[in-house]
């Protein structure tokens, strides 16, 4: 009780409140007359009854609305766990920022886990200088093992554990919005928005900021596999200790342990929220070699994740109808593609018509997945399809046209991103940087797939058209 509700910006209410169109994935929610009245009461007002709470839960779980926790919610005992291996200067910067922040009043202890540093004295000195408790692992075990060690070392009465990587710096007021979500007893984890540090004037600086992989955007979301926000980075994450136990992270995963942990938490029935109102800043590599190496390492986790979570990892996720239309376009048959799109618009379910969806909106709803499919295919080609280029170059028949089409398809995602972000980099250098980024990630995917003996992350996967 006490929670308020706000509709997602994409949610539309029709038919005097009895039809809600929206959610993640988009769907139509039919409400009874009494539920329509409750929805009107919830518009700006808190949940006061069990019936209103049930409707609010339904809307939030569908993604059509988002919760607003009560401001009076008192946070429980909270610890901060910082895994680190060397990087003592970064650790010192983070601990200094924590001590200077007003949020430190909500933190009962700070635990630094030294994961087998080569310069242990520098790490220990930074921890002692800022009053943090040090847990020293005898050998390096990776981020998952270090976080588990920190989790186990927290005081027995700690209710919430905040994981922060040493190369992060929280912005003022970052912790309170995250802890407020735990007033909902079904929330198991909440993450802030992770923003890149201010860029330098180099191409890498501008590119790394504009296409920062840890930034999940400015819109809040319920986190779940296949959703608009499908995973969370543990560069910054707050968890309910009762929800995760002491072996939350899979220590066999050197990369991707955050994706695996969040998916397992969601699968077990806990709600996971993304709260962009809270923000931390993350420092990115300063050289192309370091940046591309990181992208390579991220790619290696695709295969181990595919073995642990079948049906969730693929080179590209496709829905049948948009995939067929995209394939027809790639075969240079725009007239037939237009017929397919027109048929899809005319065949939209009747309940969407009754909800008042205009012909223009219907055409957009139908065409948008086709564009998304084309750019998804282009990114998959750039990341894992490069080995197909030699075969395309030597295969007989319209070789030049085939290679030109593949090149345009691979470049399309980069150009779309450039148009969307308008970074201070010309489109040619931006596209080259994007292709290098995708290629490095793809080499990692191939390496991980061969090592794990699975083709899952290299192949497309089809999803049902039903939400």
């Amino acid at each position: 009780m006490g929670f308020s509700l706000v509709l997602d910006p994409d949610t539309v209410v029709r038919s005097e409140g009895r039809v809600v169109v929206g959610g993640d994935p988009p769907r139509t929610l039919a409400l009874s007359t009494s539920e329509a009245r409750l929805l009107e009461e919830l518009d700006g007002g808190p949940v006061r009854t069990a019936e209103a709470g049930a409707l609010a839960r339904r809307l939030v779980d569908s993604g059509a609305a988002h919760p607003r926790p009560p401001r009076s919610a008192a946070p429980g005992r909270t610890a901060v766990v910082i895994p680190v291996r060397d990087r003592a200067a970064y650790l010192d910067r983070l601990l200094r920022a924590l001590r200077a922040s007003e949020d430190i009043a909500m933190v009962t202890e700070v635990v630094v886990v030294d994961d087998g540093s080569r310069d242990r004295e520098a790490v220990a000195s930074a921890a002692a200088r800022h009053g943090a408790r040090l847990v020293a692992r005898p050998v390096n075990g990776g981020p998952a093992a270090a976080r588990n060690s920190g989790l186990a070392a927290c005081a027995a009465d700690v209710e919430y554990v905040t994981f922060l990587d040493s190369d992060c710096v929280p912005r003022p007021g970052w912790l309170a919005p995250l802890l407020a979500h735990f007033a909902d007893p079904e929330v198991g984890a909440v993450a802030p928005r992770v923003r890149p540090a201010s860029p330098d004037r180099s191409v890498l600086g501008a590119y790394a900021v504009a296409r920062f992989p840890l930034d999940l955007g400015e819109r809040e979301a319920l986190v779940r596999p296949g959703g608009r926000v499908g995973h969370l980075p543990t560069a910054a994450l707050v968890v309910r200790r009762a929800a995760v136990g002491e072996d939350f992270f899979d220590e066999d995963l050197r990369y991707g342990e955050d994706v695996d942990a969040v998916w397992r938490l969601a699968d077990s029935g806990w709600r996971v929220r993304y709260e962009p109102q809270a923000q931390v800043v993350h420092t990115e590599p300063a050289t192309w070699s370091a940046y591309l190496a990181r992208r390579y390492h991220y790619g290696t986790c695709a295969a181990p994740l595919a073995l642990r979570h079948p049906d969730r990892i693929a080179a590209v996720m496709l829905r049948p109808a948009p995939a067929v239309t995209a394939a027809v376009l790639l075969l240079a048959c725009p007239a037939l593609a237009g017929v397919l799109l027109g048929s899809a618009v005319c065949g939209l379910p009747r309940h969407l018509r009754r909800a008042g969806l205009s012909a223009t909106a219907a055409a957009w709803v139908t065409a948008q997945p086709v564009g998304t499919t084309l750019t998804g295919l282009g990114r998959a080609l750039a990341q894992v399809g490069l080995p197909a280029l030699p075969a395309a170059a030597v295969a007989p028949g319209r070789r030049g046209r085939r290679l030109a089409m593949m090149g345009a398809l691979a470049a399309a995602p980069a150009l779309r991103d450039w148009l969307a972000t308008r970074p201070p980099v010309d489109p040619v250098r931006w596209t080259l940087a994007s292709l290098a980024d995708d290629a490095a990630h793809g080499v990692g995917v191939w390496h991980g797939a061969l090592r794990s003996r699975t083709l899952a992350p290299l192949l497309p996967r089809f999803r049902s058209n039903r939400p």
Side-chain angles (χ1 to χ4, degrees), residues 132 195 393 395 419 441 449:
R195 300 284 287 158
L419 289 170
H441 182 83

Side-chain angles (χ1 to χ4, degrees), residues 3-98:
F3 275 78
S4 298
L5 212 62
V6 59
L7 293 180
D8 186 82
D10 290 340
T11 297
V12 177
V13 179
R14 303 285 189 184
S15 301
E16 298 180 347
R18 291 193 299 274
V19 176
V20 177
V21 182
D24 180 23
R27 70 193 73 185
T28 299
L29 301 176
L31 305 185
S32 66
T33 303
S34 61
E35 286 177 325
R37 285 197 298 266
L38 287 172
L39 179 60
E40 190 174 348
E41 292 176 13
L42 287 171
D43 185 16
V47 174
R48 294 188 177 90
T49 65
E51 293 77 11
L55 176 60
R57 176 71 69 190
R58 180 183 174 195
L59 293 171
V60 168
D61 284 350
S62 72
H66 305 293
R68 289 291 178 269
R71 293 186 178 182
S72 59
R77 292 180 62 81
T78 304
V80 174
V81 170
I82 304 170
V84 64
R85 188 186 187 204
D86 296 308
R87 300 201 298 194
Y90 280 175
L91 175 63
D92 184 78
R93 181 186 64 178
L94 169 56
L95 291 172
R96 190 184 314 115
L98 283 175

Side-chain angles (χ1 to χ4, degrees), residues 82 91 95 99 109-112 124 126-134:
I82 304 170
L91 175 63
L95 291 172
R99 289 186 63 186
E109 64 174 342
V110 177
V111 179
V112 172
R129 191 158 50 247
H130 298 285
R133 184 153 60 91
L134 181 67

